[in-house]
Amino acid sequence: MHLAYPAVLAALLFCTGLYGVLARRNAILVLMSVELMLNAVNLNLVAFDVWLRDALHAGQALTLFTIAIAAAEIGIGLAIVLMVYRNRGTSDIDRLRDTAEGHEPAPNDQPAPKNQSEVTA
């Protein structure tokens, strides 16, 4: 088998995952797109391992590490997304940016009075 077939398939998978990360607003779909990108990397690792005829099968060993990292990433990422969904009621990426920047008061919020004379006036 030629190396071009799995390499092209891996490039298509990676580009599809990259599009999903950049274009999606739902956090779960972004996590699925990251998984798709990691699977494209795994396909390349195994294809190059077979093509190079490595006696130690380093590509397959690295693939096992990548699968373990992907499983940990999806477990922790899904737990974070579920907690944010419970607290905020949405898994929209644009709304999650507010948590990183801190809470800014809404335009109709009045600042708290500094002393008692401002309260009576």
Side-chain angles (χ1 to χ4, degrees), residues 7-92:
V8 168
L9 179 63
L12 289 174
L13 283 174
F14 192 85
C15 289
T16 304
L18 185 64
Y19 173 75
V21 167
L22 295 176
R24 299 292 178 186
R25 299 286 182 229
N26 191 348
I28 295 175
L29 291 177
V30 170
L31 287 174
M32 289 174 57
S33 298
V34 170
E35 290 293 321
L36 193 61
M37 291 168 61
L38 287 172
N39 285 330
V41 170
N42 287 340
L43 182 61
N44 265 338
L45 285 171
V46 171
F48 277 97
D49 182 52
V50 170
W51 185 64
L52 293 174
R53 293 182 175 84
D54 186 18
L56 295 176
H57 299 291
Q60 294 178 18
L62 285 174
T63 299
L64 289 175
F65 286 118
T66 307
I67 291 171
I69 289 170
E73 175 257 335
I74 198 67
I76 292 172
L78 192 58
I80 291 170
V81 168
L82 287 175
M83 287 303 298
V84 168
Y85 182 77
R86 285 183 186 168
N87 290 334
R88 295 206 174 222
T90 184
S91 62
D92 189 15

